[in-house]
């Protein structure tokens, strides 16, 4: 049974930083596309960042325009964990952040492409 468990959300002031973690179990982590999505109240869920394994040592990353230069997605195959380092946070980053996994290599997945989801962690950025 696949499980994705997020942690690291919370309340932070604008300009601050948070690091989200997603511990994965029950899937072939090294060959899975891992992604972070977010959903703010009243909006659709959107892709924030994705990590696509091309080879054992080459990982392709994707970021939505609004987070480029501020957020970094990374993965640790020894720990089966994917991270989202979020710096220079803005109030518009406030959302529930979801970790998701897909079998295979997807560079810019839609939420419909993902096979597994975590329950989400709330990030609130105050102004």
């Amino acid at each position: 049974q696949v499980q994705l468990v997020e942690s690291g959300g919370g309340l932070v002031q604008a300009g601050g930083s948070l690091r989200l973690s997603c511990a994965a179990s029950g899937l072939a982590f090294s060959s899975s596309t891992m992604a972070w999505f977010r959903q703010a109240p009243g909006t659709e869920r959107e892709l924030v960042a994705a990590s696509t394994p091309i080879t054992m040592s080459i990982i392709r990353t994707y970021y939505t325009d609004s987070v480029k230069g501020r957020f970094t997605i990374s993965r640790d195959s020894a720990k089966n964990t994917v991270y989202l380092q979020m710096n220079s946070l803005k109030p518009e980053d406030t959302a529930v952040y979801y970790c998701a996994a897909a079998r295979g290599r997807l560079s810019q997945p839609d939420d419909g492409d993902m096979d597994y989801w975590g329950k989400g962690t709330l990030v609130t950025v105050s102004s």
Side-chain angles (χ1 to χ4, degrees):
Q1 182 178 358
V2 175
Q3 283 192 315
L4 302 175
V5 180
E6 303 102 333
S7 61
L11 173 64
V12 64
Q13 287 189 331
S17 298
L18 283 174
R19 188 176 81 155
L20 305 183
S21 300
C22 171
S25 60
L27 79 166
F29 183 83
S30 296
S31 60
S32 297
T33 295
M34 302 300 297
W36 289 96
F37 289 77
R38 68 184 178 186
Q39 187 169 23
T43 69
E44 294 186 352
R45 189 160 53 189
E46 65 168 347
L47 174 65
V48 176
S51 171
T52 308
I54 305 302
T55 68
M56 287 298 290
S57 58
I58 298 174
I59 306 294
R60 180 183 297 154
T61 57
Y62 167 84
Y63 299 94
T64 194
D65 285 345
S66 61
V67 308
K68 284 180 181 177
R70 300 189 297 123
F71 290 12
T72 302
I73 187 170
S74 61
R75 60 199 293 159
D76 185 337
S77 292
K79 297 181 179 180
N80 281 10
T81 299
V82 62
Y83 305 96
L84 185 68
Q85 177 67 43
M86 305 186 294
N87 298 329
S88 302
L89 282 160
K90 304 175 181 181
E92 51 264 43
D93 294 318
T94 295
V96 177
Y97 284 71
Y98 297 91
C99 175
R103 296 182 294 268
R105 299 171 181 152
L106 304 173
S107 296
Q108 190 177 339
D110 293 327
D111 56 4
D113 295 324
M114 309 309 289
D115 297 304
Y116 309 104
W117 291 89
K119 293 182 178 181
T121 185
L122 177 63
V123 172
T124 304
V125 184
S126 63
S127 58

